[in-house]
Amino acid sequence: MDSSQRVRAILSFVQAAQVGSFAAAARSLGISSAAVSKNVASLERALGVRLMNRTTRSLS
């Protein structure tokens, strides 16, 4: 993961944590919710740890 991808992933993670959903984070970042999900997943892979617990109804 290059530095620009890492920055996007961190921004996606922080925004999703603040607003409590990938959809709301995506709206505020101006990207798709799939992109937010992919960014957070790539950050989790790079760090080797699960950062968020996801269900179909919640994000924690």
Side-chain angles (χ1 to χ4, degrees):
M1 172 185 293
D2 68 23
S3 61
S4 65
Q5 289 172 325
R6 187 169 299 212
V7 169
R8 282 193 300 272
I10 292 169
L11 288 173
S12 293
F13 168 72
V14 169
Q15 190 64 28
Q18 286 179 341
V19 298
S21 79
F22 286 166
R27 281 191 299 274
S28 66
L29 293 170
I31 59 177
S32 69
S33 58
V36 172
S37 179
K38 192 179 291 186
N39 288 342
V40 172
S42 68
L43 182 61
E44 289 174 331
R45 271 193 311 279
L47 296 174
V49 64
R50 186 109 199 176
L51 298 172
M52 296 185 156
N53 290 318
R54 305 161 185 77
T55 67
T56 57
R57 299 215 178 253
S58 70
L59 179 66
S60 61

mmCIF file of all heavy atoms in Angstrom:
data_model
loop_
_atom_site.group_PDB
_atom_site.id
_atom_site.type_symbol
_atom_site.label_atom_id
_atom_site.label_comp_id
_atom_site.label_asym_id
_atom_site.label_seq_id
_atom_site.Cartn_x
_atom_site.Cartn_y
_atom_site.Cartn_z
ATOM 1 N N MET A 1 0.859 -1.170 0.000
ATOM 2 C CA MET A 1 0.000 0.000 0.000
ATOM 3 C C MET A 1 0.904 1.233 0.000
ATOM 4 O O MET A 1 1.735 1.392 0.880
ATOM 5 C CB MET A 1 -0.891 -0.049 1.256
ATOM 6 C CG MET A 1 -1.694 1.185 1.484
ATOM 7 S SD MET A 1 -2.647 1.196 3.026
ATOM 8 C CE MET A 1 -3.846 -0.056 2.749
ATOM 9 N N ASP A 2 0.745 2.084 -1.016
ATOM 10 C CA ASP A 2 1.557 3.300 -1.060
ATOM 11 C C ASP A 2 0.989 4.361 -0.122
ATOM 12 O O ASP A 2 -0.084 4.203 0.457
ATOM 13 C CB ASP A 2 1.720 3.817 -2.485
ATOM 14 C CG ASP A 2 0.445 4.352 -3.101
ATOM 15 O OD1 ASP A 2 -0.463 4.746 -2.362
ATOM 16 O OD2 ASP A 2 0.374 4.398 -4.344
ATOM 17 N N SER A 3 1.718 5.446 0.043
ATOM 18 C CA SER A 3 1.339 6.441 1.051
ATOM 19 C C SER A 3 0.006 7.127 0.740
ATOM 20 O O SER A 3 -0.774 7.407 1.656
ATOM 21 C CB SER A 3 2.444 7.475 1.226
ATOM 22 O OG SER A 3 2.667 8.168 0.019
ATOM 23 N N SER A 4 -0.296 7.381 -0.530
ATOM 24 C CA SER A 4 -1.575 8.028 -0.847
ATOM 25 C C SER A 4 -2.751 7.089 -0.579
ATOM 26 O O SER A 4 -3.803 7.520 -0.089
ATOM 27 C CB SER A 4 -1.603 8.528 -2.292
ATOM 28 O OG SER A 4 -1.545 7.452 -3.197
ATOM 29 N N GLN A 5 -2.578 5.802 -0.857
ATOM 30 C CA GLN A 5 -3.621 4.829 -0.545
ATOM 31 C C GLN A 5 -3.810 4.721 0.971
ATOM 32 O O GLN A 5 -4.936 4.619 1.458
ATOM 33 C CB GLN A 5 -3.265 3.450 -1.094
ATOM 34 C CG GLN A 5 -3.357 3.359 -2.601
ATOM 35 C CD GLN A 5 -2.811 2.028 -3.099
ATOM 36 O OE1 GLN A 5 -1.861 1.487 -2.541
ATOM 37 N NE2 GLN A 5 -3.410 1.521 -4.162
ATOM 38 N N ARG A 6 -2.702 4.765 1.696
ATOM 39 C CA ARG A 6 -2.774 4.662 3.153
ATOM 40 C C ARG A 6 -3.513 5.864 3.745
ATOM 41 O O ARG A 6 -4.335 5.720 4.638
ATOM 42 C CB ARG A 6 -1.379 4.563 3.754
ATOM 43 C CG ARG A 6 -1.401 4.276 5.242
ATOM 44 C CD ARG A 6 -0.060 3.928 5.742
ATOM 45 N NE ARG A 6 0.390 2.734 5.050
ATOM 46 C CZ ARG A 6 1.177 1.821 5.573
ATOM 47 N NH1 ARG A 6 1.620 1.964 6.780
ATOM 48 N NH2 ARG A 6 1.548 0.764 4.885
ATOM 49 N N VAL A 7 -3.244 7.053 3.207
ATOM 50 C CA VAL A 7 -3.930 8.259 3.684
ATOM 51 C C VAL A 7 -5.430 8.150 3.412
ATOM 52 O O VAL A 7 -6.251 8.445 4.286
ATOM 53 C CB VAL A 7 -3.335 9.531 3.039
ATOM 54 C CG1 VAL A 7 -4.206 10.743 3.312
ATOM 55 C CG2 VAL A 7 -1.925 9.765 3.543
ATOM 56 N N ARG A 8 -5.809 7.715 2.205
ATOM 57 C CA ARG A 8 -7.232 7.538 1.893
ATOM 58 C C ARG A 8 -7.871 6.519 2.822
ATOM 59 O O ARG A 8 -9.003 6.700 3.284
ATOM 60 C CB ARG A 8 -7.408 7.104 0.435
ATOM 61 C CG ARG A 8 -7.269 8.231 -0.553
ATOM 62 C CD ARG A 8 -7.755 7.838 -1.935
ATOM 63 N NE ARG A 8 -7.043 6.709 -2.507
ATOM 64 C CZ ARG A 8 -5.923 6.805 -3.226
ATOM 65 N NH1 ARG A 8 -5.401 7.974 -3.481
ATOM 66 N NH2 ARG A 8 -5.337 5.731 -3.711
ATOM 67 N N ALA A 9 -7.160 5.442 3.111
ATOM 68 C CA ALA A 9 -7.690 4.398 3.989
ATOM 69 C C ALA A 9 -7.881 4.935 5.404
ATOM 70 O O ALA A 9 -8.912 4.676 6.038
ATOM 71 C CB ALA A 9 -6.759 3.187 3.991
ATOM 72 N N ILE A 10 -6.920 5.692 5.894
ATOM 73 C CA ILE A 10 -7.029 6.251 7.242
ATOM 74 C C ILE A 10 -8.168 7.263 7.308
ATOM 75 O O ILE A 10 -8.951 7.262 8.264
ATOM 76 C CB ILE A 10 -5.691 6.871 7.685
ATOM 77 C CG1 ILE A 10 -4.652 5.768 7.873
ATOM 78 C CG2 ILE A 10 -5.857 7.695 8.967
ATOM 79 C CD1 ILE A 10 -3.229 6.266 8.061
ATOM 80 N N LEU A 11 -8.291 8.114 6.295
ATOM 81 C CA LEU A 11 -9.389 9.079 6.267
ATOM 82 C C LEU A 11 -10.736 8.369 6.247
ATOM 83 O O LEU A 11 -11.675 8.783 6.944
ATOM 84 C CB LEU A 11 -9.266 10.005 5.054
ATOM 85 C CG LEU A 11 -8.147 11.033 5.104
ATOM 86 C CD1 LEU A 11 -8.045 11.763 3.771
ATOM 87 C CD2 LEU A 11 -8.349 11.999 6.237
ATOM 88 N N SER A 12 -10.841 7.303 5.473
ATOM 89 C CA SER A 12 -12.089 6.533 5.417
ATOM 90 C C SER A 12 -12.406 5.921 6.774
ATOM 91 O O SER A 12 -13.551 5.973 7.239
ATOM 92 C CB SER A 12 -11.995 5.431 4.362
ATOM 93 O OG SER A 12 -11.915 5.974 3.072
ATOM 94 N N PHE A 13 -11.398 5.353 7.415
ATOM 95 C CA PHE A 13 -11.594 4.754 8.730
ATOM 96 C C PHE A 13 -12.044 5.793 9.756
ATOM 97 O O PHE A 13 -13.017 5.581 10.476
ATOM 98 C CB PHE A 13 -10.311 4.068 9.205
ATOM 99 C CG PHE A 13 -10.354 3.684 10.649
ATOM 100 C CD1 PHE A 13 -11.143 2.633 11.077
ATOM 101 C CD2 PHE A 13 -9.632 4.393 11.595
ATOM 102 C CE1 PHE A 13 -11.209 2.290 12.417
ATOM 103 C CE2 PHE A 13 -9.685 4.060 12.929
ATOM 104 C CZ PHE A 13 -10.469 3.001 13.344
ATOM 105 N N VAL A 14 -11.354 6.913 9.813
ATOM 106 C CA VAL A 14 -11.676 7.952 10.793
ATOM 107 C C VAL A 14 -13.092 8.478 10.578
ATOM 108 O O VAL A 14 -13.877 8.621 11.521
ATOM 109 C CB VAL A 14 -10.641 9.095 10.750
ATOM 110 C CG1 VAL A 14 -11.098 10.298 11.547
ATOM 111 C CG2 VAL A 14 -9.285 8.607 11.244
ATOM 112 N N GLN A 15 -13.440 8.737 9.324
ATOM 113 C CA GLN A 15 -14.774 9.273 9.032
ATOM 114 C C GLN A 15 -15.857 8.250 9.380
ATOM 115 O O GLN A 15 -16.874 8.595 9.972
ATOM 116 C CB GLN A 15 -14.871 9.689 7.565
ATOM 117 C CG GLN A 15 -16.100 10.469 7.232
ATOM 118 C CD GLN A 15 -16.152 11.811 7.940
ATOM 119 O OE1 GLN A 15 -15.135 12.406 8.257
ATOM 120 N NE2 GLN A 15 -17.346 12.284 8.194
ATOM 121 N N ALA A 16 -15.634 6.992 9.037
ATOM 122 C CA ALA A 16 -16.610 5.946 9.353
ATOM 123 C C ALA A 16 -16.765 5.792 10.865
ATOM 124 O O ALA A 16 -17.883 5.622 11.366
ATOM 125 C CB ALA A 16 -16.201 4.621 8.721
ATOM 126 N N ALA A 17 -15.667 5.884 11.596
ATOM 127 C CA ALA A 17 -15.736 5.781 13.053
ATOM 128 C C ALA A 17 -16.491 6.969 13.643
ATOM 129 O O ALA A 17 -17.283 6.800 14.578
ATOM 130 C CB ALA A 17 -14.331 5.705 13.640
ATOM 131 N N GLN A 18 -16.291 8.143 13.094
ATOM 132 C CA GLN A 18 -16.960 9.335 13.619
ATOM 133 C C GLN A 18 -18.465 9.321 13.369
ATOM 134 O O GLN A 18 -19.243 9.673 14.250
ATOM 135 C CB GLN A 18 -16.353 10.602 13.023
ATOM 136 C CG GLN A 18 -14.993 10.935 13.581
ATOM 137 C CD GLN A 18 -14.384 12.171 12.960
ATOM 138 O OE1 GLN A 18 -14.782 12.601 11.887
ATOM 139 N NE2 GLN A 18 -13.405 12.740 13.638
ATOM 140 N N VAL A 19 -18.865 8.945 12.154
ATOM 141 C CA VAL A 19 -20.292 9.012 11.807
ATOM 142 C C VAL A 19 -21.031 7.705 12.051
ATOM 143 O O VAL A 19 -22.254 7.688 12.072
ATOM 144 C CB VAL A 19 -20.505 9.501 10.352
ATOM 145 C CG1 VAL A 19 -19.959 10.897 10.169
ATOM 146 C CG2 VAL A 19 -19.907 8.538 9.356
ATOM 147 N N GLY A 20 -20.321 6.607 12.211
ATOM 148 C CA GLY A 20 -20.952 5.344 12.572
ATOM 149 C C GLY A 20 -21.458 4.486 11.432
ATOM 150 O O GLY A 20 -22.119 3.488 11.667
ATOM 151 N N SER A 21 -21.159 4.879 10.177
ATOM 152 C CA SER A 21 -21.557 4.019 9.055
ATOM 153 C C SER A 21 -20.696 4.308 7.836
ATOM 154 O O SER A 21 -20.190 5.423 7.674
ATOM 155 C CB SER A 21 -23.031 4.212 8.703
ATOM 156 O OG SER A 21 -23.228 5.386 7.947
ATOM 157 N N PHE A 22 -20.553 3.287 7.001
ATOM 158 C CA PHE A 22 -19.797 3.468 5.767
ATOM 159 C C PHE A 22 -20.545 4.366 4.796
ATOM 160 O O PHE A 22 -19.947 5.159 4.086
ATOM 161 C CB PHE A 22 -19.504 2.118 5.111
ATOM 162 C CG PHE A 22 -18.436 1.302 5.805
ATOM 163 C CD1 PHE A 22 -18.280 -0.031 5.494
ATOM 164 C CD2 PHE A 22 -17.595 1.858 6.748
ATOM 165 C CE1 PHE A 22 -17.297 -0.794 6.104
ATOM 166 C CE2 PHE A 22 -16.608 1.108 7.366
ATOM 167 C CZ PHE A 22 -16.460 -0.224 7.044
ATOM 168 N N ALA A 23 -21.871 4.247 4.769
ATOM 169 C CA ALA A 23 -22.667 5.058 3.831
ATOM 170 C C ALA A 23 -22.543 6.549 4.157
ATOM 171 O O ALA A 23 -22.345 7.375 3.263
ATOM 172 C CB ALA A 23 -24.125 4.627 3.865
ATOM 173 N N ALA A 24 -22.661 6.893 5.433
ATOM 174 C CA ALA A 24 -22.542 8.295 5.830
ATOM 175 C C ALA A 24 -21.116 8.806 5.607
ATOM 176 O O ALA A 24 -20.917 9.948 5.178
ATOM 177 C CB ALA A 24 -22.942 8.470 7.285
ATOM 178 N N ALA A 25 -20.135 7.971 5.878
ATOM 179 C CA ALA A 25 -18.742 8.353 5.632
ATOM 180 C C ALA A 25 -18.517 8.600 4.147
ATOM 181 O O ALA A 25 -17.864 9.570 3.758
ATOM 182 C CB ALA A 25 -17.798 7.263 6.135
ATOM 183 N N ALA A 26 -19.085 7.739 3.324
ATOM 184 C CA ALA A 26 -18.937 7.878 1.877
ATOM 185 C C ALA A 26 -19.555 9.186 1.386
ATOM 186 O O ALA A 26 -18.958 9.890 0.564
ATOM 187 C CB ALA A 26 -19.577 6.689 1.167
ATOM 188 N N ARG A 27 -20.739 9.512 1.887
ATOM 189 C CA ARG A 27 -21.387 10.765 1.494
ATOM 190 C C ARG A 27 -20.524 11.964 1.865
ATOM 191 O O ARG A 27 -20.347 12.883 1.061
ATOM 192 C CB ARG A 27 -22.762 10.891 2.142
ATOM 193 C CG ARG A 27 -23.835 10.081 1.451
ATOM 194 C CD ARG A 27 -25.223 10.434 1.951
ATOM 195 N NE ARG A 27 -25.396 10.167 3.380
ATOM 196 C CZ ARG A 27 -25.743 8.997 3.895
ATOM 197 N NH1 ARG A 27 -25.958 7.964 3.104
ATOM 198 N NH2 ARG A 27 -25.891 8.846 5.198
ATOM 199 N N SER A 28 -19.968 11.965 3.057
ATOM 200 C CA SER A 28 -19.169 13.117 3.486
ATOM 201 C C SER A 28 -17.829 13.186 2.760
ATOM 202 O O SER A 28 -17.288 14.281 2.583
ATOM 203 C CB SER A 28 -18.962 13.103 4.992
ATOM 204 O OG SER A 28 -18.176 12.016 5.377
ATOM 205 N N LEU A 29 -17.302 12.037 2.330
ATOM 206 C CA LEU A 29 -16.028 12.017 1.603
ATOM 207 C C LEU A 29 -16.212 12.157 0.100
ATOM 208 O O LEU A 29 -15.231 12.352 -0.625
ATOM 209 C CB LEU A 29 -15.268 10.724 1.905
ATOM 210 C CG LEU A 29 -14.768 10.555 3.343
ATOM 211 C CD1 LEU A 29 -14.257 9.141 3.565
ATOM 212 C CD2 LEU A 29 -13.688 11.572 3.652
ATOM 213 N N GLY A 30 -17.443 12.009 -0.373
ATOM 214 C CA GLY A 30 -17.709 12.119 -1.803
ATOM 215 C C GLY A 30 -17.270 10.912 -2.607
ATOM 216 O O GLY A 30 -16.915 11.029 -3.778
ATOM 217 N N ILE A 31 -17.304 9.733 -1.969
ATOM 218 C CA ILE A 31 -16.960 8.480 -2.653
ATOM 219 C C ILE A 31 -18.065 7.472 -2.374
ATOM 220 O O ILE A 31 -18.990 7.744 -1.618
ATOM 221 C CB ILE A 31 -15.578 7.936 -2.203
ATOM 222 C CG1 ILE A 31 -15.551 7.676 -0.688
ATOM 223 C CG2 ILE A 31 -14.466 8.898 -2.605
ATOM 224 C CD1 ILE A 31 -14.245 7.082 -0.180
ATOM 225 N N SER A 32 -17.967 6.295 -2.971
ATOM 226 C CA SER A 32 -18.988 5.268 -2.755
ATOM 227 C C SER A 32 -18.754 4.550 -1.427
ATOM 228 O O SER A 32 -17.631 4.523 -0.905
ATOM 229 C CB SER A 32 -18.973 4.251 -3.896
ATOM 230 O OG SER A 32 -17.791 3.472 -3.834
ATOM 231 N N SER A 33 -19.821 3.963 -0.897
ATOM 232 C CA SER A 33 -19.670 3.211 0.345
ATOM 233 C C SER A 33 -18.798 1.975 0.122
ATOM 234 O O SER A 33 -18.088 1.539 1.039
ATOM 235 C CB SER A 33 -21.027 2.831 0.934
ATOM 236 O OG SER A 33 -21.777 2.087 0.022
ATOM 237 N N ALA A 34 -18.822 1.428 -1.080
ATOM 238 C CA ALA A 34 -17.945 0.288 -1.391
ATOM 239 C C ALA A 34 -16.478 0.705 -1.313
ATOM 240 O O ALA A 34 -15.633 -0.067 -0.846
ATOM 241 C CB ALA A 34 -18.266 -0.258 -2.776
ATOM 242 N N ALA A 35 -16.176 1.930 -1.757
ATOM 243 C CA ALA A 35 -14.800 2.424 -1.686
ATOM 244 C C ALA A 35 -14.367 2.600 -0.232
ATOM 245 O O ALA A 35 -13.228 2.272 0.127
ATOM 246 C CB ALA A 35 -14.664 3.731 -2.452
ATOM 247 N N VAL A 36 -15.263 3.099 0.613
ATOM 248 C CA VAL A 36 -14.943 3.244 2.042
ATOM 249 C C VAL A 36 -14.670 1.867 2.634
ATOM 250 O O VAL A 36 -13.677 1.674 3.341
ATOM 251 C CB VAL A 36 -16.075 3.961 2.808
ATOM 252 C CG1 VAL A 36 -15.824 3.924 4.305
ATOM 253 C CG2 VAL A 36 -16.221 5.390 2.330
ATOM 254 N N SER A 37 -15.527 0.914 2.341
ATOM 255 C CA SER A 37 -15.357 -0.441 2.849
ATOM 256 C C SER A 37 -14.031 -1.042 2.383
ATOM 257 O O SER A 37 -13.294 -1.648 3.176
ATOM 258 C CB SER A 37 -16.519 -1.315 2.395
ATOM 259 O OG SER A 37 -16.351 -2.629 2.854
ATOM 260 N N LYS A 38 -13.723 -0.868 1.118
ATOM 261 C CA LYS A 38 -12.475 -1.393 0.566
ATOM 262 C C LYS A 38 -11.262 -0.718 1.206
ATOM 263 O O LYS A 38 -10.267 -1.373 1.518
ATOM 264 C CB LYS A 38 -12.457 -1.168 -0.951
ATOM 265 C CG LYS A 38 -11.354 -1.914 -1.663
ATOM 266 C CD LYS A 38 -11.393 -1.683 -3.156
ATOM 267 C CE LYS A 38 -12.604 -2.337 -3.759
ATOM 268 N NZ LYS A 38 -12.615 -2.274 -5.235
ATOM 269 N N ASN A 39 -11.351 0.593 1.426
ATOM 270 C CA ASN A 39 -10.245 1.323 2.061
ATOM 271 C C ASN A 39 -10.002 0.828 3.478
ATOM 272 O O ASN A 39 -8.853 0.602 3.884
ATOM 273 C CB ASN A 39 -10.535 2.831 2.084
ATOM 274 C CG ASN A 39 -10.443 3.472 0.730
ATOM 275 O OD1 ASN A 39 -9.871 2.925 -0.197
ATOM 276 N ND2 ASN A 39 -11.021 4.653 0.609
ATOM 277 N N VAL A 40 -11.067 0.651 4.241
ATOM 278 C CA VAL A 40 -10.926 0.187 5.619
ATOM 279 C C VAL A 40 -10.386 -1.245 5.632
ATOM 280 O O VAL A 40 -9.507 -1.583 6.435
ATOM 281 C CB VAL A 40 -12.257 0.298 6.385
ATOM 282 C CG1 VAL A 40 -12.163 -0.368 7.755
ATOM 283 C CG2 VAL A 40 -12.664 1.762 6.537
ATOM 284 N N ALA A 41 -10.875 -2.082 4.741
ATOM 285 C CA ALA A 41 -10.388 -3.468 4.674
ATOM 286 C C ALA A 41 -8.907 -3.524 4.317
ATOM 287 O O ALA A 41 -8.152 -4.323 4.887
ATOM 288 C CB ALA A 41 -11.209 -4.257 3.662
ATOM 289 N N SER A 42 -8.466 -2.665 3.411
ATOM 290 C CA SER A 42 -7.043 -2.667 3.041
ATOM 291 C C SER A 42 -6.183 -2.162 4.197
ATOM 292 O O SER A 42 -5.078 -2.659 4.418
ATOM 293 C CB SER A 42 -6.793 -1.855 1.771
ATOM 294 O OG SER A 42 -7.008 -0.485 1.989
ATOM 295 N N LEU A 43 -6.695 -1.197 4.959
ATOM 296 C CA LEU A 43 -5.970 -0.725 6.142
ATOM 297 C C LEU A 43 -5.868 -1.841 7.180
ATOM 298 O O LEU A 43 -4.809 -2.054 7.772
ATOM 299 C CB LEU A 43 -6.664 0.503 6.734
ATOM 300 C CG LEU A 43 -5.998 1.151 7.941
ATOM 301 C CD1 LEU A 43 -4.592 1.647 7.602
ATOM 302 C CD2 LEU A 43 -6.856 2.296 8.458
ATOM 303 N N GLU A 44 -6.955 -2.569 7.375
ATOM 304 C CA GLU A 44 -6.941 -3.698 8.310
ATOM 305 C C GLU A 44 -5.932 -4.753 7.878
ATOM 306 O O GLU A 44 -5.192 -5.288 8.712
ATOM 307 C CB GLU A 44 -8.336 -4.311 8.425
ATOM 308 C CG GLU A 44 -9.327 -3.445 9.156
ATOM 309 C CD GLU A 44 -10.733 -3.987 9.154
ATOM 310 O OE1 GLU A 44 -11.119 -4.701 8.206
ATOM 311 O OE2 GLU A 44 -11.461 -3.682 10.121
ATOM 312 N N ARG A 45 -5.892 -5.044 6.587
ATOM 313 C CA ARG A 45 -4.915 -6.016 6.079
ATOM 314 C C ARG A 45 -3.492 -5.526 6.301
ATOM 315 O O ARG A 45 -2.618 -6.299 6.719
ATOM 316 C CB ARG A 45 -5.136 -6.288 4.592
ATOM 317 C CG ARG A 45 -6.092 -7.398 4.296
ATOM 318 C CD ARG A 45 -6.055 -7.837 2.839
ATOM 319 N NE ARG A 45 -6.135 -6.733 1.895
ATOM 320 C CZ ARG A 45 -7.264 -6.115 1.526
ATOM 321 N NH1 ARG A 45 -8.417 -6.504 2.037
ATOM 322 N NH2 ARG A 45 -7.240 -5.125 0.656
ATOM 323 N N ALA A 46 -3.231 -4.258 6.021
ATOM 324 C CA ALA A 46 -1.886 -3.709 6.171
ATOM 325 C C ALA A 46 -1.429 -3.734 7.628
ATOM 326 O O ALA A 46 -0.254 -3.987 7.915
ATOM 327 C CB ALA A 46 -1.838 -2.280 5.626
ATOM 328 N N LEU A 47 -2.363 -3.498 8.550
ATOM 329 C CA LEU A 47 -2.021 -3.485 9.969
ATOM 330 C C LEU A 47 -2.082 -4.866 10.603
ATOM 331 O O LEU A 47 -1.540 -5.086 11.686
ATOM 332 C CB LEU A 47 -2.970 -2.543 10.727
ATOM 333 C CG LEU A 47 -2.882 -1.065 10.341
ATOM 334 C CD1 LEU A 47 -3.967 -0.273 11.049
ATOM 335 C CD2 LEU A 47 -1.503 -0.502 10.655
ATOM 336 N N GLY A 48 -2.798 -5.778 9.944
ATOM 337 C CA GLY A 48 -2.923 -7.141 10.462
ATOM 338 C C GLY A 48 -3.846 -7.246 11.660
ATOM 339 O O GLY A 48 -3.682 -8.135 12.500
ATOM 340 N N VAL A 49 -4.828 -6.318 11.733
ATOM 341 C CA VAL A 49 -5.759 -6.326 12.862
ATOM 342 C C VAL A 49 -7.131 -5.850 12.385
ATOM 343 O O VAL A 49 -7.222 -5.044 11.457
ATOM 344 C CB VAL A 49 -5.234 -5.428 14.013
ATOM 345 C CG1 VAL A 49 -5.169 -3.987 13.597
ATOM 346 C CG2 VAL A 49 -6.045 -5.584 15.270
ATOM 347 N N ARG A 50 -8.165 -6.357 13.006
ATOM 348 C CA ARG A 50 -9.531 -5.925 12.677
ATOM 349 C C ARG A 50 -9.818 -4.622 13.414
ATOM 350 O O ARG A 50 -9.711 -4.568 14.627
ATOM 351 C CB ARG A 50 -10.518 -7.001 13.107
ATOM 352 C CG ARG A 50 -11.914 -6.724 12.696
ATOM 353 C CD ARG A 50 -12.270 -7.674 11.644
ATOM 354 N NE ARG A 50 -13.413 -7.200 10.905
ATOM 355 C CZ ARG A 50 -13.868 -7.838 9.874
ATOM 356 N NH1 ARG A 50 -13.285 -8.925 9.466
ATOM 357 N NH2 ARG A 50 -14.890 -7.384 9.223
ATOM 358 N N LEU A 51 -10.146 -3.576 12.692
ATOM 359 C CA LEU A 51 -10.383 -2.271 13.293
ATOM 360 C C LEU A 51 -11.851 -2.023 13.608
ATOM 361 O O LEU A 51 -12.168 -1.281 14.535
ATOM 362 C CB LEU A 51 -9.880 -1.160 12.363
ATOM 363 C CG LEU A 51 -8.383 -1.176 12.075
ATOM 364 C CD1 LEU A 51 -8.048 -0.153 10.999
ATOM 365 C CD2 LEU A 51 -7.605 -0.901 13.341
ATOM 366 N N MET A 52 -12.738 -2.624 12.816
ATOM 367 C CA MET A 52 -14.175 -2.404 12.993
ATOM 368 C C MET A 52 -14.914 -3.721 12.888
ATOM 369 O O MET A 52 -14.580 -4.555 12.053
ATOM 370 C CB MET A 52 -14.711 -1.466 11.915
ATOM 371 C CG MET A 52 -14.147 -0.094 11.979
ATOM 372 S SD MET A 52 -14.933 0.960 10.763
ATOM 373 C CE MET A 52 -14.651 2.538 11.537
ATOM 374 N N ASN A 53 -15.906 -3.871 13.753
ATOM 375 C CA ASN A 53 -16.814 -5.011 13.639
ATOM 376 C C ASN A 53 -18.002 -4.561 12.813
ATOM 377 O O ASN A 53 -18.621 -3.546 13.105
ATOM 378 C CB ASN A 53 -17.279 -5.467 15.025
ATOM 379 C CG ASN A 53 -16.168 -6.115 15.796
ATOM 380 O OD1 ASN A 53 -15.395 -6.889 15.252
ATOM 381 N ND2 ASN A 53 -16.068 -5.792 17.068
ATOM 382 N N ARG A 54 -18.316 -5.331 11.768
ATOM 383 C CA ARG A 54 -19.386 -4.967 10.855
ATOM 384 C C ARG A 54 -20.471 -6.030 10.875
ATOM 385 O O ARG A 54 -20.188 -7.218 10.896
ATOM 386 C CB ARG A 54 -18.872 -4.889 9.422
ATOM 387 C CG ARG A 54 -17.710 -3.984 9.187
ATOM 388 C CD ARG A 54 -17.057 -4.412 7.856
ATOM 389 N NE ARG A 54 -15.855 -3.718 7.521
ATOM 390 C CZ ARG A 54 -14.663 -3.939 8.049
ATOM 391 N NH1 ARG A 54 -14.508 -4.848 8.976
ATOM 392 N NH2 ARG A 54 -13.620 -3.253 7.646
ATOM 393 N N THR A 55 -21.703 -5.552 10.868
ATOM 394 C CA THR A 55 -22.841 -6.421 10.609
ATOM 395 C C THR A 55 -23.651 -5.725 9.532
ATOM 396 O O THR A 55 -23.322 -4.611 9.113
ATOM 397 C CB THR A 55 -23.719 -6.647 11.867
ATOM 398 O OG1 THR A 55 -24.346 -5.417 12.222
ATOM 399 C CG2 THR A 55 -22.895 -7.168 13.037
ATOM 400 N N THR A 56 -24.725 -6.350 9.112
ATOM 401 C CA THR A 56 -25.565 -5.709 8.080
ATOM 402 C C THR A 56 -26.266 -4.488 8.629
ATOM 403 O O THR A 56 -26.702 -3.637 7.862
ATOM 404 C CB THR A 56 -26.604 -6.706 7.539
ATOM 405 O OG1 THR A 56 -27.386 -7.184 8.630
ATOM 406 C CG2 THR A 56 -25.931 -7.847 6.815
ATOM 407 N N ARG A 57 -26.371 -4.365 9.943
ATOM 408 C CA ARG A 57 -27.105 -3.262 10.542
ATOM 409 C C ARG A 57 -26.262 -2.293 11.368
ATOM 410 O O ARG A 57 -26.727 -1.232 11.736
ATOM 411 C CB ARG A 57 -28.221 -3.795 11.425
ATOM 412 C CG ARG A 57 -29.201 -4.615 10.652
ATOM 413 C CD ARG A 57 -30.576 -4.414 11.198
ATOM 414 N NE ARG A 57 -31.526 -5.169 10.422
ATOM 415 C CZ ARG A 57 -32.368 -4.619 9.581
ATOM 416 N NH1 ARG A 57 -32.365 -3.328 9.404
ATOM 417 N NH2 ARG A 57 -33.228 -5.356 8.910
ATOM 418 N N SER A 58 -25.027 -2.673 11.706
ATOM 419 C CA SER A 58 -24.258 -1.779 12.569
ATOM 420 C C SER A 58 -22.770 -1.848 12.281
ATOM 421 O O SER A 58 -22.272 -2.781 11.661
ATOM 422 C CB SER A 58 -24.526 -2.104 14.033
ATOM 423 O OG SER A 58 -23.940 -3.352 14.366
ATOM 424 N N LEU A 59 -22.107 -0.845 12.813
ATOM 425 C CA LEU A 59 -20.668 -0.720 12.683
ATOM 426 C C LEU A 59 -20.153 -0.326 14.059
ATOM 427 O O LEU A 59 -20.644 0.632 14.665
ATOM 428 C CB LEU A 59 -20.347 0.372 11.663
ATOM 429 C CG LEU A 59 -18.915 0.720 11.365
ATOM 430 C CD1 LEU A 59 -18.230 -0.472 10.693
ATOM 431 C CD2 LEU A 59 -18.855 1.922 10.460
ATOM 432 N N SER A 60 -19.220 -1.088 14.570
ATOM 433 C CA SER A 60 -18.690 -0.744 15.901
ATOM 434 C C SER A 60 -17.179 -0.916 15.923
ATOM 435 O O SER A 60 -16.601 -1.544 15.070
ATOM 436 C CB SER A 60 -19.339 -1.603 16.980
ATOM 437 O OG SER A 60 -19.081 -2.967 16.780
#
